[in-house]
Amino acid sequence: MNELLLSFIWKQRLISPNTFTTDKSKVYIVYPGLENSNQGPDFLNARVYIDNNLWYGNVEIHVKSSDWFLHCHQLDINFQNVICHVVWICDTDVYTSNGEKIPTIELSTQILPELINNYQFLMDSRNPIPCAKLISDVHSFIIYDMLESCFVEMLNNKIASLHLNLQQLNNNIDEFSYRTIARAFGFKVNNDPFEETAKALPFSLIRRYINDLELIEALLFGQANLLHDHFSDAYPKNLHINYSFYKKKHSLKPQISSNWRYLRLHPGNFPCIRIAQFASFLYNNFTGIDIFLSMRKIEQIYDVIIKPINEYWDYHFKFDIQSTYKRKIMGKNSADIIIINAIVPLMYLYGKNRNLSSLSNLAIDIMEQISAEDNKIIRLWRSLNVKPLNAVHSQALIYLKNNYCDKYNCLNCKIGSKIIRSN
């Protein structure tokens, strides 16, 4: 037994209708109170009938009633207004700092054993999804309701982090959007060097030369520390000449460490290809986050992200190393990753910061137009007959697995809660 489960039982009002205090007073919970994550009692502003008298105040949860003294609550003025002490085992009476006895509810004799058994079953499970053997009994409405909650929770967590980074740029939303999208073009393996390259090349300079693709390429490859003066091919030679001139003109300093990764990458994901695709995305096209704000269809965003690149790359994956012909235009699956990791969070952040609920809702609408991902975690959920209908669901399933299932956080999961409460 632990306080988390006791709090869950109290919050969900899962105690017997014929509940009594240790002094044999009849108890009826009108409102269990607001769960408190800060200093003070576990639940605030509860309303509880004790022997037909309605009490307003706070509730404290403990495994043993003697924990009250162990935690020195009898000396803490914050616990002065505790109207009810909810415990698993009552091994002593407790009192407030002014000496008043607090009514105690001992739950060990007043809840159904099935509830404890269900909870213990989940906690003892060694399945990657603790409820794997029981989830088929949960209605799909509850499952998808949990997925919607997970997606919103995930987005809010993400934009909280993004908001801090935006503040560090003095709320320059276009510079921040440029860096965020650049990072997404790194496709996880090269996120950091891509972001460092964007930091070394201000968006104000990109915007200044937005109509010159070859110059944008030169600036990006140069600031990425991928150009030198001994190329054989004409294309990289020209890039280096262009970059050398503008580097001096604008006093540019390339990123210090060129830690681009190639190992175990598909050649289409090599840094040079992704930088060329990022340059084409920027060229005569990306003037800031505003470009996406009026788009309602995923195809409109594809048209902005998916652009042809210099034909040199149809025969190369790296400078001066020729390969067989293959067109290097970005695929929709890759574009989806950029939309999921950058465009949608930026739109959602923009809407939240400006109290534009329509824009925040649009961001979610865009996600719903993207096909569900296919990876190890999603295949695990599919094996349990939980099938994501779109990217909202697949992203939520990944979040659910990482933040609830892996941490056995079943009490705060709507699916786990339903299983625990079931007969």
Side-chain angles (χ1 to χ4, degrees):
M1 181 51 61
N2 56 66
E3 289 187 15
L4 288 176
L5 179 55
L6 292 175
S7 294
F8 172 82
I9 292 169
W10 176 258
K11 182 179 179 180
Q12 299 288 336
R13 289 182 267 197
L14 300 178
I15 60 179
S16 166
N18 296 314
T19 296
F20 293 86
T21 68
T22 53
D23 289 338
K24 309 302 181 182
S25 296
K26 175 77 171 172
V27 174
Y28 175 73
I29 305 169
V30 178
Y31 173 59
L34 180 66
E35 207 161 7
N36 177 30
S37 58
N38 299 314
Q39 183 180 3
D42 294 311
F43 289 86
L44 306 177
N45 303 319
R47 298 192 297 277
V48 180
Y49 273 105
I50 300 177
D51 271 350
N52 297 320
N53 295 315
L54 182 58
W55 292 73
Y56 291 82
N58 305 325
V59 175
E60 179 66 3
I61 309 288
H62 284 130
V63 175
K64 294 181 178 181
S65 59
S66 57
D67 292 340
W68 177 274
F69 299 107
L70 185 65
H71 301 158
C72 298
H73 293 332
Q74 77 279 12
L75 305 176
D76 190 340
I77 194 172
N78 291 310
F79 291 82
Q80 183 75 35
N81 195 30
V82 170
I83 60 170
C84 192
H85 192 208
V86 179
V87 302
W88 181 245
I89 297 292
C90 179
D91 55 356
T92 184
D93 292 330
V94 301
Y95 301 86
T96 63
S97 58
N98 61 10
E100 292 184 9
K101 185 178 177 181
I102 300 175
T104 299
I105 300 174
E106 186 178 41
L107 292 181
S108 58
T109 60
Q110 305 193 68
I111 60 173
L112 295 173
E114 288 88 346
L115 189 150
I116 306 300
N117 294 337
N118 291 342
Y119 174 73
Q120 197 60 50
F121 179 86
L122 295 178
M123 294 302 101
D124 290 343
S125 172
R126 291 299 171 260
N127 282 305
I129 309 296
C131 63
K133 294 182 178 181
L134 300 172
I135 196 170
S136 61
D137 296 329
V138 179
H139 197 284
S140 60
F141 174 82
I142 294 174
I143 295 173
Y144 287 106
D145 185 40
M146 181 60 188
L147 295 188
E148 297 291 338
S149 297
C150 278
F151 182 73
V152 173
E153 182 180 318
M154 180 195 71
L155 262 186
N156 285 331
N157 288 344
K158 191 162 190 173
I159 68 166
S161 175
L162 291 177
H163 186 71
L164 290 175
N165 295 332
L166 176 59
Q167 288 181 320
Q168 292 173 2
L169 288 172
N170 296 319
N171 292 314
N172 185 336
I173 187 65
D174 290 333
E175 177 70 29
F176 177 69
S177 301
Y178 159 70
R179 293 187 186 185
T180 302
I181 296 171
R183 181 175 178 81
F185 266 84
F187 291 88
K188 193 172 184 177
V189 175
N190 282 307
N191 283 354
D192 289 340
F194 239 107
E195 185 175 8
E196 291 304 313
T197 298
K199 287 180 180 178
L201 183 62
F203 181 60
S204 57
L205 194 58
I206 290 290
R207 180 179 276 167
R208 182 171 177 179
Y209 299 114
I210 199 72
N211 297 318
D212 191 334
L213 176 59
E214 191 166 333
L215 180 51
I216 293 174
E217 291 175 328
L219 291 170
L220 284 171
F221 282 116
Q223 292 300 85
N225 229 342
L226 294 174
L227 297 179
H228 53 73
D229 59 2
H230 49 274
F231 287 121
S232 299
D233 293 346
Y235 172 67
K237 278 184 176 180
N238 289 335
L239 290 178
H240 182 259
I241 291 170
N242 260 342
Y243 174 66
S244 297
F245 176 80
Y246 286 95
K247 176 185 177 183
K248 184 176 181 180
K249 178 178 179 180
H250 296 291
S251 302
L252 296 176
K253 295 180 180 180
Q255 63 159 309
I256 298 173
S257 60
S258 183
N259 55 342
W260 296 97
R261 297 181 182 179
Y262 295 84
L263 188 63
R264 288 190 284 273
L265 278 183
H266 186 278
N269 208 26
F270 277 7
C272 286
I273 303 302
R274 294 307 188 191
I275 290 174
Q277 291 171 345
F278 184 52
S280 289
F281 160 73
L282 294 171
Y283 165 62
N284 202 23
N285 180 44
F286 183 70
T287 55
I289 189 61
D290 288 357
I291 191 173
F292 297 110
L293 302 185
S294 61
M295 296 181 178
R296 298 291 180 271
K297 299 294 182 182
I298 191 68
E299 288 76 14
Q300 295 174 289
I301 301 180
Y302 286 149
D303 289 343
V304 173
I305 296 176
I306 302 174
K307 296 290 185 180
I309 62 175
N310 192 298
E311 63 182 10
Y312 175 85
W313 297 112
D314 291 341
Y315 298 91
H316 298 80
F317 290 102
K318 291 183 176 181
F319 291 121
D320 278 354
I321 301 177
Q322 191 161 355
S323 63
T324 56
Y325 173 83
K326 185 176 181 180
R327 197 158 180 245
K328 304 301 191 306
I329 193 166
M330 181 183 289
K332 285 188 176 181
N333 288 341
S334 295
D336 287 341
I337 293 173
I338 293 170
I339 295 168
I340 290 170
N341 291 322
I343 307 301
V344 165
L346 286 169
M347 292 174 68
Y348 194 80
L349 174 65
Y350 194 97
K352 287 291 183 180
N353 282 357
R354 288 163 174 75
N355 292 318
L356 299 173
S357 59
S358 59
L359 185 55
S360 299
N361 292 336
L362 174 60
I364 297 176
D365 290 343
I366 293 295
M367 281 289 289
E368 289 176 341
Q369 296 176 46
I370 301 175
S371 299
E373 297 139 283
D374 181 27
N375 54 44
K376 184 179 179 180
I377 293 178
I378 300 304
R379 288 191 289 273
L380 177 61
W381 284 108
R382 286 185 183 278
S383 72
L384 302 177
N385 206 32
V386 179
K387 300 175 180 179
L389 305 178
N390 49 50
V392 168
H393 291 158
S394 58
Q395 283 284 295
L397 285 170
I398 295 169
Y399 186 87
L400 177 61
K401 169 71 167 56
N402 293 337
N403 294 276
Y404 287 83
C405 303
D406 289 356
K407 299 176 181 179
Y408 287 86
N409 192 11
C410 305
L411 293 173
N412 292 313
C413 170
K414 295 176 183 178
I415 302 168
S417 173
K418 178 62 177 177
I419 289 170
I420 293 168
R421 289 184 285 111
S422 63
N423 292 329

Coordinates of all heavy atoms in Angstrom, one line a residue, residues 310-373:
N310 N 19.3 21.3 -56.0 CA 20.3 21.3 -57.1 C 20.5 19.9 -57.7 O 20.8 19.0 -56.9 CB 21.6 21.9 -56.5 CG 22.5 22.3 -57.6 OD1 23.0 21.5 -58.4 ND2 22.8 23.6 -57.7
E311 N 20.5 19.9 -59.0 CA 20.6 18.6 -59.7 C 22.0 17.9 -59.4 O 22.1 16.7 -59.6 CB 20.5 18.7 -61.2 CG 21.5 19.6 -61.8 CD 21.2 19.8 -63.3 OE1 20.2 19.4 -63.8 OE2 22.1 20.3 -64.0
Y312 N 23.0 18.6 -58.9 CA 24.2 18.0 -58.5 C 24.0 16.9 -57.5 O 24.7 15.9 -57.6 CB 25.1 19.1 -57.8 CG 26.5 18.6 -57.3 CD1 27.6 18.5 -58.1 CD2 26.6 18.2 -56.0 CE1 28.8 18.1 -57.6 CE2 27.8 17.8 -55.4 CZ 28.9 17.7 -56.3 OH 30.1 17.2 -55.8
W313 N 23.0 17.0 -56.7 CA 22.8 16.0 -55.6 C 22.1 14.8 -56.2 O 22.0 13.8 -55.5 CB 22.0 16.6 -54.5 CG 22.8 17.7 -53.8 CD1 22.5 19.0 -53.8 CD2 24.0 17.5 -53.1 NE1 23.5 19.7 -53.1 CE2 24.5 18.8 -52.6 CE3 24.8 16.4 -52.8 CZ2 25.6 19.0 -51.9 CZ3 26.0 16.6 -52.0 CH2 26.4 17.9 -51.6
D314 N 21.6 14.8 -57.4 CA 21.0 13.6 -58.0 C 22.1 12.6 -58.3 O 21.8 11.4 -58.5 CB 20.3 14.0 -59.3 CG 19.0 14.8 -59.1 OD1 18.5 14.8 -57.9 OD2 18.6 15.5 -60.0
Y315 N 23.3 13.0 -58.4 CA 24.5 12.2 -58.6 C 25.5 12.1 -57.5 O 26.5 11.5 -57.6 CB 25.2 12.6 -59.9 CG 24.3 12.6 -61.1 CD1 23.6 13.7 -61.5 CD2 24.2 11.4 -61.9 CE1 22.8 13.7 -62.7 CE2 23.4 11.4 -63.0 CZ 22.7 12.5 -63.4 OH 21.9 12.5 -64.5
H316 N 25.1 12.7 -56.4 CA 26.1 12.7 -55.2 C 25.3 12.7 -53.9 O 24.2 13.1 -53.8 CB 26.9 14.1 -55.2 CG 27.7 14.2 -56.4 ND1 27.2 14.7 -57.6 CD2 29.1 14.0 -56.6 CE1 28.2 14.8 -58.5 NE2 29.4 14.4 -57.9
F317 N 26.0 12.1 -52.9 CA 25.5 12.2 -51.5 C 26.5 13.0 -50.7 O 26.1 13.5 -49.6 CB 25.5 10.8 -50.9 CG 24.3 9.9 -51.5 CD1 24.6 8.9 -52.4 CD2 23.0 10.1 -51.1 CE1 23.6 8.2 -52.9 CE2 22.0 9.4 -51.6 CZ 22.3 8.4 -52.5
K318 N 27.7 13.2 -51.2 CA 28.7 14.0 -50.6 C 29.4 14.8 -51.7 O 29.4 14.4 -52.8 CB 29.8 13.2 -49.8 CG 29.3 12.5 -48.5 CD 30.4 11.8 -47.8 CE 30.0 11.2 -46.5 NZ 31.2 10.5 -45.8
F319 N 30.1 15.9 -51.3 CA 30.8 16.7 -52.3 C 32.0 15.8 -52.9 O 32.6 15.0 -52.1 CB 31.5 17.9 -51.6 CG 30.5 19.0 -51.2 CD1 30.4 19.4 -49.9 CD2 29.6 19.5 -52.2 CE1 29.5 20.4 -49.6 CE2 28.7 20.5 -51.8 CZ 28.6 20.9 -50.5
D320 N 32.1 15.9 -54.2 CA 33.2 15.2 -54.9 C 33.2 13.7 -54.9 O 34.1 13.1 -55.4 CB 34.6 15.6 -54.3 CG 35.1 17.0 -54.8 OD1 34.4 17.5 -55.7 OD2 36.1 17.5 -54.3
I321 N 32.1 13.1 -54.4 CA 32.0 11.6 -54.5 C 30.7 11.3 -55.3 O 29.6 11.5 -54.8 CB 31.9 11.0 -53.1 CG1 33.1 11.4 -52.2 CG2 31.7 9.5 -53.1 CD1 33.1 10.9 -50.8
Q322 N 31.0 10.8 -56.5 CA 29.8 10.6 -57.4 C 29.2 9.2 -57.1 O 29.8 8.3 -56.6 CB 30.3 10.5 -58.9 CG 29.2 10.6 -59.9 CD 29.6 11.0 -61.3 OE1 30.8 11.4 -61.5 NE2 28.7 11.0 -62.2
S323 N 27.8 9.2 -57.3 CA 27.1 8.0 -57.0 C 26.1 7.8 -58.2 O 26.0 8.7 -59.1 CB 26.3 8.2 -55.7 OG 25.4 9.2 -55.8
T324 N 25.4 6.7 -58.2 CA 24.4 6.5 -59.3 C 23.3 7.5 -59.1 O 23.0 8.0 -58.0 CB 23.8 5.0 -59.2 OG1 23.3 4.8 -57.9 CG2 24.9 4.0 -59.5
Y325 N 22.6 7.7 -60.3 CA 21.5 8.7 -60.3 C 20.4 8.3 -59.4 O 19.9 7.2 -59.4 CB 21.0 8.9 -61.7 CG 19.8 9.8 -61.8 CD1 19.9 11.2 -61.8 CD2 18.5 9.3 -61.8 CE1 18.8 12.0 -61.9 CE2 17.4 10.1 -61.8 CZ 17.6 11.4 -61.9 OH 16.4 12.2 -61.9
K326 N 20.0 9.3 -58.5 CA 18.7 9.1 -57.8 C 18.3 10.5 -57.4 O 19.0 11.3 -56.8 CB 19.0 8.3 -56.5 CG 17.6 8.1 -55.7 CD 17.8 7.2 -54.6 CE 16.5 6.9 -53.9 NZ 16.6 6.1 -52.7
R327 N 17.0 10.8 -57.7 CA 16.5 12.2 -57.4 C 16.4 12.3 -55.9 O 15.9 11.4 -55.2 CB 15.2 12.4 -58.1 CG 14.7 13.8 -58.1 CD 13.7 14.0 -59.2 NE 13.3 15.4 -59.3 CZ 12.1 15.9 -59.0 NH1 11.2 15.0 -58.7 NH2 11.8 17.1 -59.1
K328 N 16.8 13.4 -55.3 CA 16.9 13.6 -53.9 C 15.8 14.5 -53.3 O 16.0 15.1 -52.3 CB 18.3 14.2 -53.5 CG 19.5 13.4 -54.0 CD 19.5 12.0 -53.5 CE 20.8 11.3 -53.7 NZ 21.3 11.3 -55.1
I329 N 14.7 14.5 -54.0 CA 13.6 15.3 -53.4 C 13.1 14.6 -52.1 O 13.0 13.4 -52.0 CB 12.4 15.5 -54.4 CG1 11.5 16.6 -54.0 CG2 11.7 14.2 -54.7 CD1 10.5 17.0 -55.1
M330 N 12.7 15.4 -51.1 CA 12.2 14.9 -49.9 C 10.9 14.2 -50.0 O 10.0 14.7 -50.8 CB 12.1 16.1 -48.9 CG 11.6 15.6 -47.5 SD 11.4 17.0 -46.4 CE 13.0 17.5 -46.1
G331 N 10.7 13.1 -49.4 CA 9.5 12.3 -49.4 C 8.5 12.9 -48.4 O 8.8 13.6 -47.4
K332 N 7.2 12.5 -48.5 CA 6.2 13.0 -47.6 C 6.4 12.5 -46.2 O 6.1 13.2 -45.2 CB 4.8 12.6 -48.1 CG 4.3 13.4 -49.3 CD 2.9 13.1 -49.6 CE 2.4 14.0 -50.8 NZ 1.0 13.7 -51.1
N333 N 6.9 11.3 -46.0 CA 7.2 10.8 -44.7 C 8.2 11.6 -43.9 O 8.1 11.9 -42.7 CB 7.7 9.3 -44.7 CG 6.6 8.3 -45.1 OD1 5.4 8.7 -45.0 ND2 7.0 7.2 -45.5
S334 N 9.2 12.1 -44.7 CA 10.2 13.0 -44.0 C 9.6 14.3 -43.7 O 9.9 14.9 -42.7 CB 11.4 13.1 -45.0 OG 12.1 11.9 -45.1
A335 N 8.8 14.8 -44.7 CA 8.1 16.1 -44.4 C 7.2 16.0 -43.2 O 7.1 17.0 -42.4 CB 7.3 16.5 -45.7
D336 N 6.5 14.8 -43.0 CA 5.7 14.7 -41.9 C 6.4 14.8 -40.6 O 5.9 15.4 -39.6 CB 5.0 13.3 -41.9 CG 3.9 13.1 -42.9 OD1 3.4 14.2 -43.4 OD2 3.6 12.0 -43.3
I337 N 7.7 14.3 -40.5 CA 8.5 14.4 -39.3 C 8.8 15.9 -39.0 O 8.7 16.3 -37.8 CB 9.8 13.6 -39.5 CG1 9.5 12.1 -39.6 CG2 10.8 13.9 -38.3 CD1 10.7 11.3 -39.9
I338 N 9.1 16.7 -40.0 CA 9.3 18.1 -39.8 C 8.1 18.8 -39.3 O 8.1 19.7 -38.4 CB 9.9 18.7 -41.1 CG1 11.2 18.2 -41.4 CG2 9.9 20.3 -41.0 CD1 11.8 18.5 -42.8
I339 N 6.9 18.5 -39.9 CA 5.7 19.1 -39.5 C 5.3 18.7 -38.1 O 4.9 19.6 -37.3 CB 4.5 18.6 -40.5 CG1 4.8 19.1 -41.9 CG2 3.2 19.1 -40.0 CD1 3.9 18.5 -42.9
I340 N 5.5 17.4 -37.7 CA 5.2 17.0 -36.4 C 6.1 17.6 -35.3 O 5.6 18.1 -34.3 CB 5.3 15.4 -36.3 CG1 4.2 14.8 -37.1 CG2 5.3 14.9 -34.8 CD1 4.3 13.3 -37.3
N341 N 7.4 17.7 -35.6 CA 8.4 18.1 -34.6 C 8.6 19.6 -34.6 O 9.2 20.2 -33.6 CB 9.7 17.4 -34.9 CG 9.6 15.9 -34.5 OD1 9.0 15.5 -33.6 ND2 10.3 15.1 -35.3
A342 N 8.2 20.3 -35.7 CA 8.5 21.8 -35.7 C 7.3 22.6 -36.1 O 6.9 23.5 -35.3 CB 9.6 22.0 -36.7
I343 N 6.7 22.4 -37.2 CA 5.6 23.2 -37.7 C 4.4 23.3 -36.8 O 3.9 24.3 -36.4 CB 5.2 22.8 -39.1 CG1 6.4 22.7 -40.1 CG2 4.1 23.8 -39.7 CD1 7.1 24.0 -40.2
V344 N 3.9 22.1 -36.4 CA 2.7 22.0 -35.6 C 3.0 22.6 -34.2 O 2.2 23.4 -33.7 CB 2.2 20.6 -35.4 CG1 1.3 20.4 -34.3 CG2 1.5 20.1 -36.7
P345 N 4.1 22.3 -33.5 CA 4.4 22.9 -32.2 C 4.5 24.5 -32.3 O 4.1 25.2 -31.4 CB 5.7 22.3 -31.8 CG 5.7 21.0 -32.4 CD 5.1 21.2 -33.8
L346 N 5.1 24.9 -33.4 CA 5.2 26.4 -33.6 C 3.9 27.1 -33.8 O 3.6 28.1 -33.2 CB 6.1 26.7 -34.8 CG 7.6 26.5 -34.6 CD1 8.4 26.5 -35.9 CD2 8.2 27.5 -33.6
M347 N 3.0 26.4 -34.6 CA 1.7 27.0 -34.8 C 0.9 27.0 -33.4 O 0.2 27.9 -33.1 CB 0.9 26.1 -35.8 CG 1.5 26.3 -37.2 SD 0.6 25.1 -38.4 CE -1.0 25.8 -38.5
Y348 N 1.0 25.9 -32.7 CA 0.3 25.8 -31.4 C 0.9 26.8 -30.4 O 0.1 27.4 -29.7 CB 0.6 24.3 -30.9 CG -0.3 24.0 -29.7 CD1 -1.6 23.5 -29.9 CD2 0.1 24.0 -28.4 CE1 -2.5 23.2 -28.9 CE2 -0.7 23.6 -27.3 CZ -2.0 23.2 -27.6 OH -2.8 22.8 -26.5
L349 N 2.2 27.0 -30.4 CA 2.8 28.0 -29.5 C 2.3 29.4 -29.9 O 2.0 30.2 -29.0 CB 4.3 27.9 -29.6 CG 5.1 29.0 -28.9 CD1 4.9 28.9 -27.4 CD2 6.6 28.9 -29.2
Y350 N 2.3 29.7 -31.2 CA 1.9 31.0 -31.7 C 0.4 31.3 -31.3 O 0.1 32.4 -30.8 CB 2.0 31.0 -33.2 CG 1.9 32.4 -33.8 CD1 3.1 33.1 -34.2 CD2 0.7 33.0 -34.2 CE1 3.0 34.3 -34.8 CE2 0.6 34.2 -34.7 CZ 1.8 34.9 -35.1 OH 1.7 36.1 -35.6
G351 N -0.4 30.2 -31.4 CA -1.8 30.4 -31.0 C -2.0 30.6 -29.5 O -2.7 31.5 -29.1
K352 N -1.2 29.9 -28.7 CA -1.3 30.0 -27.3 C -0.8 31.4 -26.8 O -1.4 32.0 -25.9 CB -0.5 28.9 -26.6 CG -1.2 27.5 -26.7 CD -2.4 27.4 -25.8 CE -3.1 26.1 -25.8 NZ -4.3 26.0 -25.0
N353 N 0.3 31.8 -27.4 CA 0.9 33.1 -26.9 C 0.0 34.3 -27.3 O 0.1 35.3 -26.6 CB 2.3 33.2 -27.6 CG 3.4 32.4 -26.9 OD1 3.1 31.8 -25.9 ND2 4.6 32.5 -27.4
R354 N -0.8 34.1 -28.3 CA -1.6 35.2 -28.7 C -3.1 35.0 -28.4 O -4.0 35.7 -28.9 CB -1.4 35.5 -30.2 CG 0.0 36.1 -30.5 CD 0.4 36.0 -31.9 NE 1.6 36.8 -32.2 CZ 2.8 36.3 -31.8 NH1 2.9 35.2 -31.2 NH2 3.9 37.0 -32.1
N355 N -3.4 34.0 -27.6 CA -4.8 33.6 -27.3 C -5.7 33.4 -28.5 O -6.8 33.8 -28.5 CB -5.4 34.7 -26.4 CG -4.7 34.8 -25.0 OD1 -4.5 33.7 -24.4 ND2 -4.5 35.9 -24.5
L356 N -5.1 32.8 -29.5 CA -5.8 32.5 -30.7 C -6.1 31.0 -30.7 O -5.4 30.2 -31.3 CB -5.0 32.8 -32.0 CG -4.6 34.3 -32.1 CD1 -3.6 34.5 -33.3 CD2 -5.8 35.1 -32.4
S357 N -7.2 30.6 -30.1 CA -7.6 29.2 -30.0 C -7.8 28.6 -31.3 O -7.5 27.4 -31.5 CB -8.8 29.1 -29.1 OG -9.9 29.8 -29.7
S358 N -8.3 29.4 -32.3 CA -8.5 28.8 -33.6 C -7.2 28.3 -34.2 O -7.2 27.3 -35.0 CB -9.1 29.9 -34.5 OG -8.3 31.0 -34.6
L359 N -6.1 29.0 -34.0 CA -4.8 28.6 -34.5 C -4.3 27.4 -33.8 O -3.7 26.5 -34.4 CB -3.8 29.8 -34.4 CG -2.4 29.5 -35.1 CD1 -2.6 29.1 -36.5 CD2 -1.6 30.8 -34.9
S360 N -4.4 27.3 -32.5 CA -4.0 26.1 -31.7 C -4.8 24.9 -32.2 O -4.3 23.8 -32.3 CB -4.2 26.4 -30.2 OG -3.4 27.4 -29.8
N361 N -6.1 25.1 -32.4 CA -6.9 24.0 -32.9 C -6.6 23.6 -34.3 O -6.6 22.4 -34.7 CB -8.4 24.4 -32.9 CG -9.0 24.6 -31.5 OD1 -8.4 24.0 -30.5 ND2 -10.0 25.4 -31.3
L362 N -6.1 24.6 -35.1 CA -5.7 24.3 -36.5 C -4.5 23.4 -36.5 O -4.3 22.5 -37.3 CB -5.4 25.6 -37.2 CG -4.8 25.4 -38.6 CD1 -5.7 24.7 -39.5 CD2 -4.5 26.8 -39.2
A363 N -3.6 23.7 -35.5 CA -2.3 22.9 -35.4 C -2.7 21.4 -35.2 O -2.1 20.5 -35.8 CB -1.5 23.4 -34.3
I364 N -3.7 21.2 -34.3 CA -4.2 19.8 -34.1 C -4.8 19.2 -35.3 O -4.7 18.0 -35.6 CB -5.1 19.8 -32.8 CG1 -4.3 20.2 -31.6 CG2 -5.7 18.4 -32.6 CD1 -5.2 20.3 -30.3
D365 N -5.6 20.0 -36.0 CA -6.3 19.6 -37.2 C -5.3 19.1 -38.3 O -5.5 18.1 -39.0 CB -7.1 20.7 -37.8 CG -8.4 21.0 -37.0 OD1 -8.7 20.2 -36.2 OD2 -9.0 22.1 -37.2
I366 N -4.2 19.9 -38.4 CA -3.1 19.5 -39.3 C -2.5 18.1 -38.9 O -2.3 17.3 -39.8 CB -2.0 20.6 -39.3 CG1 -2.5 21.9 -39.9 CG2 -0.8 20.1 -40.1 CD1 -2.9 21.8 -41.4
M367 N -2.3 17.9 -37.6 CA -1.8 16.6 -37.2 C -2.7 15.5 -37.5 O -2.3 14.4 -37.9 CB -1.5 16.7 -35.7 CG -0.3 17.4 -35.2 SD 1.2 16.5 -35.6 CE 1.2 15.1 -34.5
E368 N -4.0 15.8 -37.4 CA -5.0 14.7 -37.7 C -5.0 14.3 -39.2 O -5.5 13.3 -39.5 CB -6.4 15.2 -37.3 CG -6.5 15.2 -35.7 CD -7.9 15.7 -35.3 OE1 -8.5 16.4 -36.1 OE2 -8.2 15.5 -34.1
Q369 N -4.4 15.2 -40.0 CA -4.4 14.9 -41.5 C -3.1 14.1 -41.8 O -3.0 13.7 -43.0 CB -4.4 16.2 -42.3 CG -5.7 17.0 -42.1 CD -5.6 18.4 -42.8 OE1 -5.2 18.4 -44.0 NE2 -6.0 19.4 -42.2
I370 N -2.2 13.9 -40.9 CA -1.0 13.1 -41.1 C -1.2 11.7 -40.7 O -1.8 11.4 -39.7 CB 0.2 13.7 -40.3 CG1 0.4 15.2 -40.7 CG2 1.4 12.9 -40.5 CD1 1.5 15.9 -39.8
S371 N -0.8 10.8 -41.6 CA -0.9 9.3 -41.3 C -0.2 8.9 -40.0 O 0.9 9.5 -39.7 CB -0.4 8.5 -42.5 OG -1.1 8.8 -43.7
A372 N -0.7 7.9 -39.4 CA 0.0 7.4 -38.2 C 1.4 6.9 -38.5 O 1.6 6.3 -39.6 CB -0.9 6.3 -37.5
E373 N 2.3 7.1 -37.6 CA 3.6 6.6 -37.8 C 3.7 5.1 -37.6 O 2.8 4.5 -37.1 CB 4.6 7.2 -36.8 CG 4.7 8.7 -37.0 CD 4.7 9.5 -35.6 OE1 3.6 9.6 -35.0 OE2 5.8 9.9 -35.2

